[in-house]
Amino acid sequence: MTDGMAGKVVLVSGGGSGIGRASARALARAGAAVAVADLTRESAAATVAEIVALGGRAVALAGDVSRESDVVALIEAARAAFGRLDGAFNNAGISPAAVGSAGVPIAALPEAAFQRVIAVNLAGVFLCLKHEITALAREAGGAIVNTASVAGLVGLAGSGAYVASKHGVIGLTRTAALENAAVGIRVNAVCPGYIDTPMVAPHMPARGPDILGKVPFARLGRADEIAELVLWLLSDRASFVTGAAYVADGGYSAA
Ligand SMILES: NC(=O)c1ccc[n+]([C@@H]2O[C@H](COP(=O)([O-])OP(=O)(O)OC[C@H]3O[C@@H](n4cnc5c(N)ncnc54)[C@H](O)[C@@H]3O)[C@@H](O)[C@H]2O)c1
């Protein structure tokens, strides 16, 4: 099956786990060649192995999206592997727990923890956008999707840095869409609610009832449910869509 992605080359950051892995798989199933990037080559390679087993094409890349030189190298490596770049899913991100500040209110949040979340989740998307836009302009257009969150739309007590980073991703998305509409580059964001990935699953034993109590569907989303949206936004089927932030959250933000 090729859902309008045949012959296209897409770079997926954070592709070694969770939403990124599911999206890389969905893109490959739809006919795209996928450059799977993550902090470690091992995690990216595990996703590539799944894609190859499905009969798809993919390459594993390692790099830290918070470092500009790594971002440049990732984009060059994707182009070198498949000869062009048509799209990107800027999805790498960390939660407050990754910097030891899960549930810590702003008044007690160490600056270093705040800065690291912003460096990965917001500056990382900025750096990817900056260099991807240059690469896509060479191909006369393309599509980019950034992973924001419902935390990009509402506040969340105890997650100040994460909320700020994800609100920022939506602002960058809208601005990049305006700046690049005339050159045929669409830029959109996805705003997942609580999704069953390694970022969220470890918190479910302690916080499960609290989290699910706020989700009208009363369950976590699946990574492949976000991948469907990412695939559509990256495909030509979304040809009139740019500057949008699409929510997929089981009703969480409808309240
Ligand atoms: N799981 C959820 O409930 C949820 C909800 C809303 C938004 N999100 C966002 O979705 C995205 C994917 O998260 P996930 O749930 O799949 O989590 P995950 O932890 O399974 O995957 C995130 C991936 O990003 C990679 N990564 C982290 N820092 C990086 C860096 N500096 N450079 C390159 N790669 C890096 C990790 O190694 C990991 O493979 C994140 O941006 C996250 O904030 C997740």
Side-chain angles (χ1 to χ4, degrees):
M1 187 172 84
T2 56
D3 286 327
M5 297 303 294
K8 298 203 178 189
V9 178
V10 181
L11 173 64
V12 176
S13 78
S17 181
I19 292 168
R21 174 171 289 174
S23 300
R25 258 194 328 249
L27 287 159
R29 222 182 279 120
V34 186
V36 180
D38 211 306
L39 276 176
T40 67
R41 196 174 303 276
E42 291 68 31
S43 61
T47 302
V48 169
E50 290 185 16
I51 289 172
V52 169
L54 291 168
R57 289 197 306 153
V59 64
L61 305 174
D64 180 341
V65 296
S66 70
R67 296 163 58 105
E68 186 161 20
S69 55
D70 282 18
V71 170
V72 170
L74 288 174
I75 292 167
E76 274 318 304
R79 284 170 51 84
F82 298 116
R84 53 186 290 125
L85 187 70
D86 303 284
F89 180 34
N90 299 324
N91 163 76
I94 56 174
S95 70
V99 291
S101 65
V104 177
I106 289 167
L109 189 61
E111 188 193 352
F114 179 86
Q115 297 288 10
R116 184 60 192 156
V117 171
I118 295 295
V120 176
N121 293 8
L122 181 56
V125 171
F126 156 69
L127 292 171
C128 288
L129 279 172
K130 176 178 172 182
H131 295 286
E132 288 158 2
I133 286 165
T134 307
L136 293 180
R138 278 191 234 157
E139 310 291 349
I144 299 174
V145 173
N146 300 319
T147 302
S149 167
V150 287
L153 302 167
V154 299
L156 214 54
S159 298
Y162 188 80
V163 165
S165 72
K166 296 302 188 179
H167 275 67
V169 167
I170 293 178
L172 278 177
T173 299
R174 291 179 175 142
T175 303
L178 294 176
E179 290 175 352
N180 294 286
V183 294
I185 301 174
R186 297 185 298 103
V187 189
N188 293 289
V190 291
C191 301
Y194 288 98
I195 310 301
D196 187 6
T197 72
M199 184 179 283
V200 163
H203 303 290
M204 290 309 285
R207 294 195 49 220
D210 173 41
I211 288 173
L212 297 184
K214 296 176 186 151
V215 182
F217 277 175
R219 67 168 174 87
L220 296 180
R222 298 188 310 274
D224 59 16
E225 292 176 306
I226 304 304
E228 281 296 322
L229 183 53
V230 173
L231 173 60
W232 178 71
L233 284 168
L234 286 173
S235 79
D236 292 339
R237 288 174 294 159
S239 52
F240 200 52
V241 181
T242 198
Y246 274 80
V247 173
D249 67 352
Y252 173 90
S253 61

